[in-house]
Amino acid sequence: MNVEKFVYAFNGLNTEGNKDMKDLLGGKGANLAEMSSLGLPVPPGFTITTKACLNFEKDDGVLSESLKTEIKNALNQVEKITGKKFGDSNNPLLFSVRSGARASMPGMMDTVLNLGLNDETVEGLSKLTGNERFAWDSYRRFIQMYSNVVMGFNTAILESTLEDLKEARNIKEDWEFSPADLKELVAAYKRIILEDSGKKFPTDPMEQLWESISAVFNSWKNPRARKYRELHHIPHNWGTAVNVQSMVFGNMGDSSATGVCFTRDPSTGEKRFFGEFLINAQGEDVVAGIRTPAPINNFSKNSSNQHLKSFEELMPKSYNQLCEYYNKLEKHYKDMQDIEFTVEKGTLYILQTRNGKRTSAAALKIAVDMVSEGLKTQEEALMSVKPEDLNQLLHPRLDPKSPKNLLAKGLPASPGAAGGLIVFDSEEAILKKEKGIKVLLVRRETSPEDIGGMVAAEGILTSRGGMTSHAAVVARGMGKPCVAGCTSILIDHNLKKLSVNGSAFGEGDFLTIDGATGEVFEGVIPTIEAEISQEFITFMEWADKRRKLKVRTNADNPHDCEVSLKFGAEGIGLCRTEHMFFAPERILAIREMIFANNSSERSKALKKLLPYQREDFIGIFERMNGLPVNIRLLDPPLHEFLPHSEEEINTLAHYLNLSQTQIKNRAEELFEFNPMLGHRGCRLGISFPEIYNMQVRAIMEAAVFASKNGISVQPEIMIPLVAMKEELEILRANSISEIEKVFAETNTKIDYKIGTMIEVPRAALTANEIAKAADFFSFGTNDLTQTTYGLSRDDAGKFLPHYQKLGLFATDPFVSLDQNGVGQLLEIATRLGRENNPKIHVGICGEHGGEPKSIYFCHKIGLDYVSCSPYRVPIARLAAAQASIVHG
Ligand code: PEP
Ligand code: MG
């Protein structure tokens, strides 16, 4: 019978795991096994699997007898190899017991060091090391750690006993205690623990071991670890492995040390060995920051540690060995490593290695350098950088060295950092900007009317709305930092004040936002500009060679076109025409159109708009020379263009020769209970054909004009919110007839496409019919998510975070495509579309088109392109390349 194995040895003679067994052995355990097999000096030990942790949970926190037997066998092996014995009073073996999950969860779970000490073994340790002070200090530390981690004892009282004794002895540092002092402390600790908890400190090493293993298993469920997993999307049902490893001591005097090193510089990626260490210390001391760690070599010297001797200078033999090992590890793992080491009386041990955390700039440099060093293939390099991390490289970020006072946290709607004077409305933003003042636009939410203010502001902060709210989408398009849906900020637009957690801010105060994290800070914090490096260019070229998906951009003005081209866009996938209507000279004409009583009045107003639209499109065609430009006809409900303030109503009444009451009445007529499902999209085109006809004319006149000026144009006309083939058929026929008129008038012909957005489930399900009237489909997954879930884009932010907390949504479905639900509609529509129109071209232009996981999905179902905001184009290029590497 094949009995399931729960304990894996790692030692010089017998190593049962390897680096690919992270699921079972955790990251730490898998790497300890791998390093043992590579012949590195790893203190021998064994790993108890994550599966054992899950069984332990199932068995109500009891270690099974069979597991205990397996552990004892593994322990015997360690005894044989080290020649020491667990619990022996002459030659005691001591262990560390540490957690180690699949994904790194630094500091979230528990650790016990120096396990196996008691009144007898401490004497053995003392004789063995010839260092009584060290032995008793280890014992004291062990009691403190064990009583806290395993017995749940509040150790503050032990700490104060220690401090009292220091005062009594008139000393400042722990190491100044004499062995007699430490013995006195140990006795006091045991007495206090017994008196306060009623429990005797366990002296049996086996009991200590069972209890410590149980405690580490239990620490998987502690609130801190739970919270961390929720934040990092780590499933609760993975469990942690436990690593039981023979102790080595970096605190045995001046020939001992402990340290941490990186095989390359983790902040710049430069190829230089880099690290810190402490003489006569245990691992935890380096991290704790009580003593200033010394530099490992000259490269690691900085202003705070340059007065200290380096590891290379103090322990050259160990340093040279460490160099040999780090090179070996980096070559083996083909990645930058973060290594922990200890020197015990002149002997070097390696305690841990893992792929080192790094900044995005470092990640890119390391990936590119490793290809030229022959360590990685181009594909491996492409896979080693998270697409999302490129964000950091393209936007300004907060100076990490500046002090910060965090006020609130909202949604990370558009990356980049910006600070400025708070303004509460767009006019004020524009006025201040004209005076050269940097402002932050703070609003409950934004609407298309705020475009001017958004352009003028350094960044945008809203207290409402989700990741596809107007503020979020538009800010991303502009590459402007934005924090949206920051619900803990209360805004009073009348008083021009905001309050947050008891503090109030008004015009004249300053705030800073970090759109990559959603954080809002008090005052103005300096930022660091992004620059495009040579590595970035090389890296992106490799991505382009590898990807199959084309990457277009969502842009509606020449400036955005230029930015997107710089980032490698291959066309426009969505140009939202309504964004062009809010300039002051146009809004009146739009309002005149809305207030028209009949079709001829409407046409008259539209004639005024035509030249503006034509100009806009000429500008875009010119910038996008040679590339496809997909322009969507008017989409939002008309009431979005209505005047709100008394002043606007007045101006309009005057302009149209109507009374204020007439204006207000008309506005009331246009009111809809549910405008997102109301008179919008192609429904406007069906009701008021003149609107779409004007837009089609503007597009084609612009195309003809540009083409006569030597520009290569590829216009695509896109109809929004189609639900029935009939809608598209009617609007296609109208468009063609308008286009034919333009061709006849200009005596020119140009190739063009007419297609539709797929953004309601019915369109996806009847794509076989719709495809016959469409040259292309473009998935509007913002609306398609809204209509499939029946979940409002604008209001979901109110309860979505709660759903996410409960684990109902792993990620916001407006950010990462719901592949199970909405994704099926994409698949169905693509298949039906292609079956019924083999020439059909299929893309996506919802916000998901710039989100890596959704891009993987789009690749898998065979879309032709994704389209995203200009600043996300590089992210999409890399994600598309990765998808093609992973899925072929
Ligand atoms: C969409 O719905 O996905 C889309 C791109 O259109 P909009 O966001 O403008 O509604
Ligand atoms: Mg839409």
CSV table of all heavy atoms in Angstrom, one decimal, residues 4-6 8 20-26 47-52 100 102 240-241:
chain,number,residue,atom,x,y,z
A,4,GLU,N,0.6,7.8,2.4
A,4,GLU,CA,0.8,9.2,2.1
A,4,GLU,C,1.9,9.8,3.0
A,4,GLU,O,1.9,9.5,4.2
A,4,GLU,CB,-0.4,10.1,2.2
A,4,GLU,CG,-0.2,11.5,1.6
A,4,GLU,CD,-1.5,12.3,1.6
A,4,GLU,OE1,-2.5,11.8,2.0
A,4,GLU,OE2,-1.4,13.4,1.1
A,5,LYS,N,2.8,10.5,2.4
A,5,LYS,CA,4.0,11.0,3.1
A,5,LYS,C,3.7,12.5,3.6
A,5,LYS,O,3.3,13.3,2.8
A,5,LYS,CB,5.2,11.0,2.2
A,5,LYS,CG,6.5,11.2,2.7
A,5,LYS,CD,7.5,10.9,1.6
A,5,LYS,CE,8.9,11.4,2.0
A,5,LYS,NZ,9.3,10.9,3.3
A,6,PHE,N,4.0,12.7,4.9
A,6,PHE,CA,3.7,14.1,5.4
A,6,PHE,C,5.0,14.8,5.9
A,6,PHE,O,4.9,16.0,6.2
A,6,PHE,CB,2.7,14.0,6.6
A,6,PHE,CG,1.4,13.6,6.1
A,6,PHE,CD1,0.9,12.3,6.4
A,6,PHE,CD2,0.5,14.5,5.4
A,6,PHE,CE1,-0.4,12.0,5.9
A,6,PHE,CE2,-0.7,14.1,5.0
A,6,PHE,CZ,-1.2,12.8,5.3
A,8,TYR,N,9.1,15.5,4.9
A,8,TYR,CA,10.2,15.4,3.9
A,8,TYR,C,11.5,15.9,4.5
A,8,TYR,O,11.6,17.0,4.9
A,8,TYR,CB,9.8,16.3,2.6
A,8,TYR,CG,8.7,15.7,1.8
A,8,TYR,CD1,7.4,15.6,2.3
A,8,TYR,CD2,9.0,15.1,0.6
A,8,TYR,CE1,6.4,15.0,1.5
A,8,TYR,CE2,8.0,14.5,-0.2
A,8,TYR,CZ,6.7,14.5,0.3
A,8,TYR,OH,5.7,13.9,-0.5
A,20,ASP,N,10.3,22.6,-7.0
A,20,ASP,CA,9.0,22.6,-7.6
A,20,ASP,C,7.8,22.1,-6.7
A,20,ASP,O,6.7,21.9,-7.2
A,20,ASP,CB,9.1,21.8,-8.9
A,20,ASP,CG,10.1,22.3,-9.8
A,20,ASP,OD1,10.2,23.6,-9.9
A,20,ASP,OD2,10.9,21.5,-10.5
A,21,MET,N,8.2,21.8,-5.5
A,21,MET,CA,7.1,21.3,-4.6
A,21,MET,C,6.6,22.3,-3.6
A,21,MET,O,6.3,22.0,-2.5
A,21,MET,CB,7.7,20.1,-3.8
A,21,MET,CG,8.0,18.9,-4.8
A,21,MET,SD,9.0,17.6,-4.0
A,21,MET,CE,7.7,16.9,-2.9
A,22,LYS,N,6.5,23.5,-4.1
A,22,LYS,CA,6.0,24.6,-3.2
A,22,LYS,C,4.6,24.4,-2.6
A,22,LYS,O,4.4,24.8,-1.5
A,22,LYS,CB,6.1,26.0,-3.9
A,22,LYS,CG,7.4,26.5,-4.2
A,22,LYS,CD,7.4,28.0,-4.4
A,22,LYS,CE,8.8,28.6,-4.5
A,22,LYS,NZ,9.5,28.4,-5.8
A,23,ASP,N,3.8,23.8,-3.4
A,23,ASP,CA,2.4,23.6,-2.9
A,23,ASP,C,2.4,22.7,-1.7
A,23,ASP,O,1.6,22.9,-0.7
A,23,ASP,CB,1.5,22.9,-4.0
A,23,ASP,CG,1.3,23.8,-5.2
A,23,ASP,OD1,1.8,24.9,-5.1
A,23,ASP,OD2,0.6,23.4,-6.1
A,24,LEU,N,3.3,21.7,-1.7
A,24,LEU,CA,3.3,20.8,-0.6
A,24,LEU,C,4.2,21.2,0.6
A,24,LEU,O,3.9,21.1,1.7
A,24,LEU,CB,3.7,19.4,-1.1
A,24,LEU,CG,3.4,18.2,-0.2
A,24,LEU,CD1,1.9,18.0,0.0
A,24,LEU,CD2,4.0,16.9,-0.9
A,25,LEU,N,5.4,21.7,0.2
A,25,LEU,CA,6.4,22.0,1.2
A,25,LEU,C,6.5,23.5,1.5
A,25,LEU,O,7.3,23.9,2.4
A,25,LEU,CB,7.8,21.6,0.7
A,25,LEU,CG,7.9,20.1,0.3
A,25,LEU,CD1,9.3,19.7,-0.2
A,25,LEU,CD2,7.5,19.2,1.4
A,26,GLY,N,5.7,24.3,0.9
A,26,GLY,CA,5.8,25.8,1.1
A,26,GLY,C,7.1,26.3,0.4
A,26,GLY,O,7.9,25.5,0.0
A,47,THR,N,10.7,19.0,6.6
A,47,THR,CA,9.5,19.9,6.4
A,47,THR,C,8.3,19.1,6.6
A,47,THR,O,8.2,18.0,6.0
A,47,THR,CB,9.6,20.5,5.0
A,47,THR,OG1,10.8,21.2,4.8
A,47,THR,CG2,8.4,21.4,4.7
A,48,ILE,N,7.4,19.6,7.4
A,48,ILE,CA,6.1,18.9,7.5
A,48,ILE,C,5.1,19.6,6.6
A,48,ILE,O,5.0,20.8,6.5
A,48,ILE,CB,5.6,19.0,9.0
A,48,ILE,CG1,6.7,18.6,9.9
A,48,ILE,CG2,4.3,18.2,9.2
A,48,ILE,CD1,6.4,19.0,11.4
A,49,THR,N,4.4,18.8,5.8
A,49,THR,CA,3.7,19.4,4.6
A,49,THR,C,2.4,20.2,4.9
A,49,THR,O,1.9,20.1,6.0
A,49,THR,CB,3.2,18.2,3.7
A,49,THR,OG1,2.2,17.5,4.4
A,49,THR,CG2,4.4,17.4,3.2
A,50,THR,N,2.0,21.0,3.9
A,50,THR,CA,0.8,21.8,4.1
A,50,THR,C,-0.4,20.9,4.2
A,50,THR,O,-1.4,21.2,4.8
A,50,THR,CB,0.6,22.7,2.8
A,50,THR,OG1,0.7,21.8,1.7
A,50,THR,CG2,1.6,23.7,2.7
A,51,LYS,N,-0.3,19.7,3.6
A,51,LYS,CA,-1.4,18.7,3.7
A,51,LYS,C,-1.6,18.3,5.2
A,51,LYS,O,-2.7,18.2,5.6
A,51,LYS,CB,-1.0,17.5,2.8
A,51,LYS,CG,-2.0,16.6,2.4
A,51,LYS,CD,-2.9,17.1,1.3
A,51,LYS,CE,-4.0,16.1,1.0
A,51,LYS,NZ,-3.5,14.9,0.4
A,52,ALA,N,-0.4,18.2,5.9
A,52,ALA,CA,-0.5,17.8,7.3
A,52,ALA,C,-1.2,18.9,8.1
A,52,ALA,O,-2.0,18.6,9.0
A,52,ALA,CB,0.9,17.6,7.9
A,100,GLY,N,6.0,28.2,6.7
A,100,GLY,CA,6.4,28.4,5.4
A,100,GLY,C,5.3,28.0,4.4
A,100,GLY,O,5.1,26.9,4.1
A,102,ARG,N,2.9,28.4,0.8
A,102,ARG,CA,3.2,28.4,-0.7
A,102,ARG,C,3.6,29.8,-1.2
A,102,ARG,O,4.5,29.9,-1.9
A,102,ARG,CB,1.8,28.1,-1.4
A,102,ARG,CG,1.8,26.8,-2.0
A,102,ARG,CD,0.6,26.8,-3.0
A,102,ARG,NE,-0.4,25.9,-2.5
A,102,ARG,CZ,-1.5,25.6,-3.3
A,102,ARG,NH1,-1.6,26.1,-4.4
A,102,ARG,NH2,-2.4,24.8,-2.8
A,240,THR,N,-0.2,26.0,5.9
A,240,THR,CA,1.2,26.3,5.9
A,240,THR,C,2.0,25.0,6.2
A,240,THR,O,1.5,24.1,6.9
A,240,THR,CB,1.6,27.3,6.9
A,240,THR,OG1,3.0,27.6,6.9
A,240,THR,CG2,1.2,26.9,8.4
A,241,ALA,N,3.2,24.9,5.6
A,241,ALA,CA,4.1,23.8,6.0
A,241,ALA,C,4.9,24.3,7.2
A,241,ALA,O,4.8,25.5,7.6
A,241,ALA,CB,5.1,23.6,4.8
